[in-house]
Amino acid sequence: MVKIDNIELGEFPLLLAPMEDVSDPPFRAVCKENGADLMYTEFISSEGLIRDAIKSRQKLDIFDYEKPIGIQIFGGDEDAMALSAKIVDSTAPDLLDINFGCPVKKVVCKGAGAGVLRDIDLMVRLTKACVRSTSLPVTVKTRLGWDDDTKNIEEVAERLQDVGIKALTIHGRTRAQLYRGEADWTLIAKVKNNPRIHIPIFGNGDIDSPQKAVEYKNRYGVDGIMIGRAAIGYPWIFREIKHYMATGEVLAPPTIEERLTAVRKHLHGALAWKGTRTGVCEMRPHYASYLKGLNHVREFRTRLVTTDSVDEIEHIFDDIRTFYAREAEMA
């Protein structure tokens, strides 16, 4: 049984990665329904929380059905991170996660996210400030290092464990790589196999199939896997991995009906949480992912991203069902 502090996550938990503009409550709901064991909010700026920025505060919204869930924050100032940890504590998530891995330039330039990888002493101080300011278990998500010359993740893991973190997720790339190239899990395995390390170590990067999840589980010995981009528009990745781990069988891909049920749930969650106008607009990037791989889908996708009417979107969903039912009959 893998545990973060007193939070039980099962034998080999599958975690949903915190993704900016993706991992909001409507998206998390469909991932939870399909087997995600632990989820995280989008990352939240510590400075934004302190300024009471509306967008930052909204990201604190969590719901009982999502539990266990972690709220993730980022920043480069010890006082701001400590105060943010106290604010997060008051919203009663299951844990607080610190982002030391985001490679986006606007975050890095503020000395936050992966920008902290250039100053390990600062990373330790920021982490310590959070641990001291909350009663929640504190976890960290980070990368192997800043670049190929500074892959210091083994030192980072030991030092962060020493100041009190309860779990560590490692993305198998450097900041310099961004999301290019293949994730290197060999250093993740070294951290996991370090006799000094006793906290759970989760691997992240390039897991996009049940077969790869099981291969990496066996090869690298991590305690669990975090899945990010592969879950966008495909929340079934969690159930498929679990089924494959349990039976060795590959599940059939989701049916048209399952795709439509999931995208409808996501859409109506977005409308309820964000309001009609914002919900409709922010769903548009998701349609391509939910419909990926279907033949003759371009026309439907174009219609979905060019209408502002919820009724019309529902009508398009019905057209999709009818079209592919006819295709199946003719096959």
Side-chain angles (χ1 to χ4, degrees), residues 117 120 143-146 150-157 187:
L117 288 166
I120 304 307
R143 289 181 170 237
L144 301 179
W146 177 257
T150 56
K151 291 182 179 179
N152 44 26
I153 188 61
E154 292 179 86
E155 175 193 353
V156 165
L187 283 177

Side-chain angles (χ1 to χ4, degrees), residues 181-331:
E182 186 176 353
D184 177 8
W185 282 56
T186 58
L187 283 177
I188 303 176
K190 281 188 176 181
V191 173
K192 174 57 191 173
N193 293 321
N194 181 340
R196 274 207 62 209
I197 297 296
H198 56 77
I199 58 174
I201 301 297
F202 303 115
N204 174 229
D206 295 350
I207 300 298
D208 56 8
S209 71
Q211 297 92 327
K212 197 165 190 178
V214 171
E215 176 191 349
Y216 278 38
K217 170 183 181 290
N218 295 335
R219 183 188 302 178
Y220 299 110
V222 291
D223 294 293
I225 288 174
M226 178 177 281
I227 298 170
R229 289 173 292 170
I232 299 176
Y234 203 85
W236 306 280
I237 187 72
F238 298 101
R239 77 174 187 189
E240 290 179 359
I241 291 173
K242 288 186 171 182
H243 184 82
Y244 188 74
M245 285 194 299
T247 68
E249 299 173 350
V250 177
L251 278 177
T255 63
I256 294 296
E257 196 60 43
E258 286 175 317
R259 290 176 188 251
L260 291 174
T261 297
V263 74
R264 272 195 165 106
K265 182 181 180 74
H266 192 165
L267 169 65
H268 287 284
L271 298 176
W273 189 60
K274 301 176 181 179
T276 300
R277 181 174 179 79
T278 302
V280 166
C281 290
E282 293 193 2
M283 272 300 295
R284 288 172 178 165
H286 292 281
Y287 295 128
S289 299
Y290 277 109
L291 302 176
K292 185 178 180 180
L294 299 178
N295 295 323
H296 315 298
V297 76
R298 181 177 295 179
E299 177 191 344
F300 296 116
R301 192 171 63 230
T302 300
R303 289 170 62 192
L304 285 167
V305 301
T306 54
T307 181
D308 294 324
S309 166
V310 176
D311 288 341
E312 177 61 19
I313 291 171
E314 289 285 3
H315 181 68
I316 297 167
F317 289 158
D318 290 337
D319 287 348
I320 291 171
R321 176 190 288 111
T322 301
F323 177 84
Y324 288 103
R326 287 175 182 163
E327 277 221 329
E329 289 175 1
M330 295 171 61

Side-chain angles (χ1 to χ4, degrees), residues 45-84:
S45 163
S46 57
E47 301 288 349
L49 277 183
I50 292 170
R51 293 196 311 270
D52 204 23
I54 293 173
K55 187 173 182 180
S56 294
R57 288 280 179 168
Q58 187 182 33
K59 290 179 181 178
L60 290 173
D61 287 351
I62 55 175
F63 303 91
D64 286 342
Y65 65 80
E66 299 183 284
K67 289 181 172 290
I69 187 165
I71 290 177
Q72 189 187 74
I73 61 174
F74 73 96
D77 178 81
E78 291 173 60
D79 292 336
M81 290 289 278
L83 182 53
S84 294

